[in-house]
Amino acid sequence: MEDEALKRSVAKDIVLLKYVGICPVVVHGGGPEINQWLDKLGIESSFVEGQRVTTPQAMEVIEMVLTGKVNKSLVHYINLEGGRAVGLSGKDAGLIQAKRYEKKDLGLVGEITRINPEILIQLEQNGYIPVISTVGYHPDGTSLNINADVAAAQIAIALKAEKLIMLSNVEGILDTNKSIIKQIVASEIKHHIEVGTISGGMIPKVNSALSAIEGGVRQVHVISGDTPHSILLELFTDVGIGSMIKAS
């Protein structure tokens, strides 16, 4: 969502959800902006299986960009549309607790150990819209880089959310004919990964979706963030515009 009009469109959708009695919680990353600032500062960045290897120098920039730039931009747009957005990072009120990723040495990449949703519940009960940048913290005070899809799934579980909506740069989960799979049962996902229908960057996204389903979230929607009012079109039309993953 690098286009200003799309940002306004998404912000308006979020505010409308709040007006009709739905309690949205926004969780975001910021890959393109992080890449731009790392390049500007001459800090090299590499990826292993889709995850950014995060040095202490890179982590400093990531935290600055996510919490100081991207987060406040989203808060600004939601407030412009009449919402009451409050920006948070995972470090605020102990929201996202994490340890270093153990399977591979990825530097300061975090693996979530606990979500403390108390601050989110209090904000929602008082009419605010939480906007969360995915910087977690280690008990020793170290900031850790958390994958946004993983964080969103774990926050959805902790809040006992009805739905998790993933805004992506693709239209949804595609079949072998590149057509959108409108509905898919969670148990079918592994088969689609095995046969290659789901591949590349969509695999970690659907794995996060499966984690959410297994944790009690009833439905996960994967939709394009490039389509104006995609959230409303997905939730309030008969066929939607993306892919819906459901438990059964």
Side-chain angles (χ1 to χ4, degrees):
M1 296 187 303
E2 296 180 23
D3 181 78
E4 297 298 308
L6 278 175
K7 289 178 182 178
R8 292 289 295 264
S9 171
V10 170
K12 186 172 290 187
D13 287 2
I14 292 166
V15 173
L16 284 170
L17 292 181
K18 191 71 174 177
Y19 280 151
V20 299
I22 296 171
C23 295
V25 174
V26 181
V27 181
H28 69 86
E33 291 90 346
I34 290 168
N35 291 337
Q36 289 171 14
W37 279 96
L38 288 175
D39 289 343
K40 283 181 183 180
L41 296 170
I43 299 172
E44 293 186 6
S45 186
S46 61
F47 290 82
V48 174
E49 296 179 357
Q51 296 194 80
R52 187 188 301 273
V53 178
T54 305
T55 63
Q57 294 85 357
M59 188 65 232
E60 190 173 355
V61 175
I62 289 166
E63 186 165 8
M64 175 187 72
V65 173
L66 287 183
T67 63
K69 189 172 186 297
V70 179
N71 186 272
K72 298 312 172 190
S73 174
L74 289 170
V75 167
H76 168 71
Y77 282 113
I78 292 170
N79 289 342
L80 274 181
E81 297 299 332
R84 301 170 69 203
V86 175
L88 302 165
S89 82
K91 295 169 72 174
D92 291 312
L95 175 56
I96 303 176
Q97 298 175 26
K99 62 181 180 180
R100 289 199 188 202
Y101 190 75
E102 294 178 342
K103 294 179 182 177
K104 290 185 174 64
D105 183 9
L106 300 175
L108 296 179
V109 170
E111 186 175 348
I112 295 172
T113 56
R114 182 173 182 264
I115 299 291
N116 178 10
E118 181 182 354
I119 184 65
L120 304 180
I121 294 167
Q122 290 187 14
L123 287 171
E124 288 201 319
Q125 287 175 344
N126 286 280
Y128 295 98
I129 299 171
V131 180
I132 305 162
S133 62
T134 52
V135 175
Y137 79 97
H138 191 277
D140 66 7
T142 304
S143 297
L144 294 172
N145 183 17
I146 308 291
N147 177 278
D149 290 329
V150 172
Q154 292 304 309
I155 290 170
I157 292 168
L159 288 172
K160 297 180 172 59
E162 289 286 319
K163 292 177 181 285
L164 170 62
I165 302 168
M166 292 180 162
L167 286 178
S168 180
N169 59 353
V170 296
E171 296 176 314
I173 301 170
L174 306 180
D175 63 18
T176 52
N177 297 317
K178 304 301 181 184
S179 299
I180 300 171
I181 300 173
K182 288 293 185 180
Q183 291 191 21
I184 185 169
V185 176
S187 59
E188 298 174 345
I189 294 288
K190 289 184 180 178
H191 169 73
H192 283 278
I193 293 174
E194 289 171 359
V195 300
T197 309
I198 297 173
S199 61
M202 187 58 71
I203 292 177
K205 195 171 291 292
V206 297
N207 281 335
S208 294
L210 288 178
S211 295
I213 295 287
E214 290 166 2
V217 179
R218 290 177 59 191
Q219 296 173 350
V220 179
H221 301 257
V222 181
I223 63 176
S224 171
D226 295 329
T227 303
H229 301 298
S230 56
I231 298 174
L232 299 183
L233 290 170
E234 176 68 11
L235 296 184
F236 299 122
T237 61
D238 290 338
V239 296
I241 62 166
S243 299
M244 181 177 74
I245 304 169
K246 55 184 182 177
S248 58

